Amino acid sequence: MDVCEANELTSVLDAMADGIYIINDQYVVEFMNKAMIRVFGDGIGKKCHEVINQTNVPCPWCRGPEVFDDRQSVHEEVYVPTVDKTYDLMEIPIHNTDGSISKLSIYRDITHSKDQEKRLKTSKENFRRLFEHVAAGVYISSKEGKFLDANQALLDMMGYEDKDEFLNLD
């Protein structure tokens, strides 16, 4: 790859919203795009775990051996406590012209969607608790009028002991 091609590739990687870095088999950062530098600071020449997790040992989620030794791509979700973010992480082996292997890591920030999932789950749990424990009879039905769910208060009011019997009413 000539200098012009390398500059074009760097420009493309820098334009991406995902954080990208490349390390060698000694875990030394060889490249970081602008998105990665913005979140973790410039770590070129340092060990990746010093930059990402601010430790002297590899990160607990590190899958380097699989990438370097087994030459496998790996994909997982990781929480990085130093920045309080959750990432969809892809780690891919890169076969260099000299025969060595480097690891390309792509960090996609999914913190917002994980937070939304958590809020939705909490909201569903709160709704379920309210539905089950409110003293009034409550039911959910389809547009066609079929009972989909009913709380215990409604079953008691209507004289049903078996919820399934009530839900099967037409």
Side-chain angles (χ1 to χ4, degrees), residues 14-67:
D14 279 340
M16 296 180 70
D18 296 336
I20 298 172
Y21 72 91
I22 299 172
I23 64 169
N24 63 24
D25 61 357
Q26 299 301 307
Y27 297 86
V28 174
V29 178
E30 297 176 328
F31 171 83
M32 294 177 83
N33 73 344
K34 287 181 180 178
M36 200 73 181
I37 291 171
R38 217 174 4 263
V39 175
F40 296 99
D42 189 351
I44 296 174
K46 299 177 184 175
K47 300 274 185 171
C48 56
H49 47 268
E50 294 171 342
V51 178
I52 306 301
N53 207 33
Q54 299 175 0
T55 62
N56 293 324
V57 296
C59 303
W61 60 84
C62 182
R63 306 281 292 275
E66 291 169 66
V67 176

Side-chain angles (χ1 to χ4, degrees), residues 33-155:
N33 73 344
K34 287 181 180 178
M36 200 73 181
I37 291 171
R38 217 174 4 263
V39 175
F40 296 99
D42 189 351
I44 296 174
K46 299 177 184 175
K47 300 274 185 171
C48 56
H49 47 268
E50 294 171 342
V51 178
I52 306 301
N53 207 33
Q54 299 175 0
T55 62
N56 293 324
V57 296
C59 303
W61 60 84
C62 182
R63 306 281 292 275
E66 291 169 66
V67 176
F68 290 120
D69 300 338
D70 302 335
R71 290 167 169 64
Q72 293 181 11
S73 294
V74 292
H75 186 210
E76 64 184 325
E77 191 176 286
V78 299
Y79 172 72
V80 181
T82 57
V83 292
D84 192 28
K85 292 182 184 279
T86 302
Y87 292 96
D88 179 52
L89 173 61
M90 287 188 291
E91 298 180 295
I92 304 159
I94 298 175
H95 301 269
N96 300 313
T97 54
D98 66 1
S100 65
I101 300 288
S102 292
K103 179 174 69 115
L104 169 73
S105 297
I106 304 170
Y107 279 67
R108 175 164 289 159
D109 186 354
I110 58 171
T111 306
H112 180 71
S113 61
K114 296 303 288 183
D115 289 345
Q116 284 182 318
E117 282 177 24
K118 188 186 293 182
R119 283 193 299 276
L120 180 59
K121 182 181 178 196
T122 300
S123 178
K124 285 180 179 180
E125 289 168 355
N126 289 340
F127 172 79
R128 175 56 52 192
R129 272 196 304 277
L130 176 63
F131 183 84
E132 293 298 333
H133 296 102
V134 69
V138 180
Y139 66 89
I140 300 172
S141 66
S142 68
K143 287 192 288 185
E144 296 78 28
K146 174 138 179 63
F147 291 115
L148 301 174
D149 202 357
N151 70 353
Q152 190 61 47
L154 181 63
L155 297 176

Side-chain angles (χ1 to χ4, degrees), residues 147-164:
F147 291 115
L148 301 174
D149 202 357
N151 70 353
Q152 190 61 47
L154 181 63
L155 297 176
D156 293 343
M157 289 169 49
M158 303 297 289
Y160 286 90
E161 291 184 23
D162 183 17
K163 186 177 192 176
D164 289 334

